[in-house]
Each structure stands twice: as C-alpha cells, then as structure tokens.
Amino acid sequence: MATVSEPQTGDRSNPARWLVVAIPYIWLLLFFAVPFLIILKISFSDTAISIPPYTPVFEGFGAIGDYLSQLDFENYLFLTDDPLYFQAYISSLRIALISTFLLLLIGYPMALAMARAPSSIRPTLVMLVILPFWTSFLIRVYAWIGILKPDGLLTLLLQTIGLMGPDDQVQIFRTDYAVFIGIVYSYLPFMVLPLYAALEKMDNTLLEAASDLGCPPWKAFWKITFPLSLPGVIAGSMICFIPITGEFVIPDLLGGADTLMIGKTLWTEFFSNRDWPLASAVAVVLLLMLVVPIAIFQNQQKKVA
C-alpha cells in the first residue's frame, strides 16, 4: 500500500531564510524608525542658542515618570495657534491632489498606449519614459525656469508663431501653474510605470469578448480595463501624492511668494529661523497626516480581499 508523503515545507531554522526576511525590517528600522524617533524627541524640546539649537530631553536613564514629566507639547500647540502652518498643510494637500489628478489624467493614456503597442517596441517606450532620470533632477527643474520665465523659450515660441505680440510675455513663472507644470513633468514616470505594469498584464481577450457581445469601446474601458488597472492607479497615485505633499525644490524654484507648501515652511524653520523643535513638530504632524490614512486604507483593502 502506497503511503502519502508530507509536503516539504523547507527548513524554517535556516539562518539565510530569516536574514532575507530581516533585511527590509532592518532597513526600515535604521532609515525610518530611528530618524523619526530622533525628530520626535527634538519636537518635545525647546529652542536654545547653542549647538544643536535645542535643549536636550530624555537624557540618561530614569523612571518612566521622569520621561513623561519632560513631555512638552508647546510646539504642537503653537501649530494650532499660528494659521500659517494650517494654511501650509492645506495648500500642500491641495497642490498634491491636483497634481496627482493631472498626472493620472496624462499618465493613464500614455501607459495604455504603451501596453497596447507591439511587444517589440515596448522596451523602447519604457526606456523613453525613464530617460529623464538620466539627468539631474535639479538641472531638469532649472531648465523649466529658462522655459517659463517671461523672456524665456515659451514666450519666444509663441511670439515666433504669431500667437503673441512682440511686446507680450507669458506670465506663468513664479505662479502655481509653474509649480504644477514642474511637478507633473518630474513625477510623470512614477505614475506611468505602475500603470503600465498593471495594464500590460491585462488579458486582452476580455476586450475581444466584450466587443463580440456588442459592448462599445468606451463602455468596455470603464467596465473592464479601468477596474483591472486599479492596483496600478492606486500605486501610482500613492507614489506621487506622498512626495509631492512634502516637495520643496519645485515650489522654491518655480513658485512665487504666494506658493505656500509645507516643505518650504520646514526649510524656513530649520535653516532660516533655526527653530528645530518647531520644525520637528511640523514634520511629525506631516508624517502622521500621510501615514495614518494610508495605513487605514491598506487595512480596509486587506479586509475586502
């Protein structure tokens, strides 16, 4: 009588197995958790004229009560008193939401065209999407200054083709429109690539079956293509929205004085005002604003799955 052998599950005590699993957690611990705890610690301190410019807290070893007695929420309370920070948070979220929508609006047709292109030229199209990464990010943003400034290339082009008079100039530089242009240009590959990865794996026979059953192309897109690409939409939106919210370089170089984003506020507090405790409190609140909704969303997705 033949016996049924138990399936091989592998050696769970293999050190290499645990090392592979532990490396990502060690990476997060060293480069996310530890820096965050340092910033959190500084946010409970007071500003001081010294190096570093804050009073040390939680120094040495002691009882938990001693540590709790050192908690100072003054910096967090100040954020609620000064409307500047609330406006900076709201403005950052507004710019990030509009930019992410524009990226999705532009990136989705590009990714769909790449996924529908012949397989022989898809690698070339992917290379063209990531080609801007071969140039420095700062150089690419500075290039937009030369394009968008009043006497820049855009004004020269419109004057040459007759859409503007010789004395007219494009007034886009140092406005929110310039910030949107710079953000969309810089973050477009981060939106296109996740969308392309989701669309490229889609079974095109589903569209053929829908067409055979009399479904028009636009309806097949909303009933089949878009729902199947939702993982790419969500991934691309998250990848773009999170860094855009804390963006500093693009608003500083392309935006004007009225372009208020939390990244610029952080830089001002850290380097101009040298108020590290307050800047740390701003950074902690920003992180919680981004991490908590994402964690709730991922938890809901797991429940649905």
Side-chain angles (χ1 to χ4, degrees):
M1 182 176 178
T3 59
V4 179
S5 60
E6 295 183 357
Q8 298 294 327
T9 59
D11 187 2
R12 295 183 179 273
S13 62
N14 188 357
R17 177 192 181 96
W18 291 106
L19 180 62
V20 172
V21 176
I23 287 177
Y25 291 98
I26 295 174
W27 180 273
L28 288 175
L29 176 66
L30 293 178
F31 297 104
F32 176 77
V34 173
F36 172 74
L37 291 176
I38 294 174
I39 293 295
L40 182 63
K41 174 185 174 182
I42 296 175
S43 70
F44 290 118
S45 62
D46 295 320
T47 306
I49 304 176
S50 60
I51 300 177
Y54 60 89
T55 56
V57 292
F58 308 123
E59 296 294 329
F61 297 93
I64 296 179
D66 296 335
Y67 290 131
L68 295 178
S69 65
Q70 298 182 52
L71 291 177
D72 185 2
F73 295 94
E74 178 184 359
N75 297 309
Y76 294 95
L77 294 176
F78 185 79
L79 296 181
T80 62
D81 295 335
D82 193 337
L84 170 69
Y85 302 100
F86 178 77
Q87 294 172 4
Y89 285 121
I90 296 300
S91 178
S92 297
L93 293 174
R94 176 183 64 85
I95 292 176
L97 284 171
I98 295 175
S99 300
T100 303
F101 175 75
L102 293 175
L103 284 164
L104 187 60
L105 200 64
I106 298 172
Y108 200 100
M110 291 179 58
L112 185 60
M114 292 168 58
R116 299 282 176 84
S119 58
S120 58
I121 66 171
R122 289 179 190 174
T124 304
L125 296 176
V126 173
M127 184 195 70
L128 292 175
V129 170
I130 66 176
L131 192 62
F133 289 134
W134 297 2
T135 308
S136 170
F137 174 74
L138 279 175
I139 293 177
R140 286 184 278 132
V141 177
Y142 270 111
W144 278 105
I145 297 178
I147 296 173
L148 298 177
K149 64 182 182 179
D151 56 345
L153 296 177
L154 182 58
T155 297
L156 180 61
L157 174 64
L158 295 178
Q159 290 175 349
T160 301
I161 63 179
L163 294 180
M164 292 183 63
D167 298 328
D168 296 332
Q169 292 180 332
V170 176
Q171 302 299 329
I172 296 179
F173 187 53
R174 295 297 183 186
T175 65
D176 285 352
Y177 297 107
V179 174
F180 288 130
I181 291 173
I183 289 176
V184 170
Y185 167 76
S186 301
Y187 286 88
L188 188 59
F190 296 105
M191 178 64 76
V192 172
L193 294 178
L195 288 171
Y196 169 74
L199 291 168
E200 196 268 338
K201 295 184 295 184
M202 193 181 72
D203 187 1
N204 292 325
T205 58
L206 296 175
L207 298 176
E208 296 176 2
S211 178
D212 293 339
L213 294 174
C215 183
W218 66 268
K219 192 171 184 179
F221 172 80
W222 289 112
K223 292 290 186 178
I224 299 174
T225 304
F226 188 76
L228 291 177
S229 65
L230 274 180
V233 172
I234 295 172
S237 299
M238 291 292 184
I239 291 172
C240 293
F241 177 80
I242 294 173
I244 290 173
T245 305
E247 181 62 53
F248 163 71
V249 175
I250 296 175
D252 185 60
L253 295 180
L254 299 180
D258 296 332
T259 304
L260 185 62
M261 291 193 71
I262 202 64
K264 293 178 65 176
T265 305
L266 274 172
W267 189 93
T268 301
E269 294 296 344
F270 264 115
F271 297 102
S272 297
N273 300 338
R274 289 188 61 80
D275 194 342
W276 287 23
L278 182 59
S280 299
V282 173
V284 170
V285 173
L286 175 63
L287 182 65
L288 293 178
M289 285 176 55
L290 296 176
V291 170
V292 172
I294 293 173
I296 295 174
F297 174 78
Q298 289 181 338
N299 187 41
Q300 293 297 324
Q301 288 294 105
K302 290 180 180 178
K303 291 181 179 180
V304 172

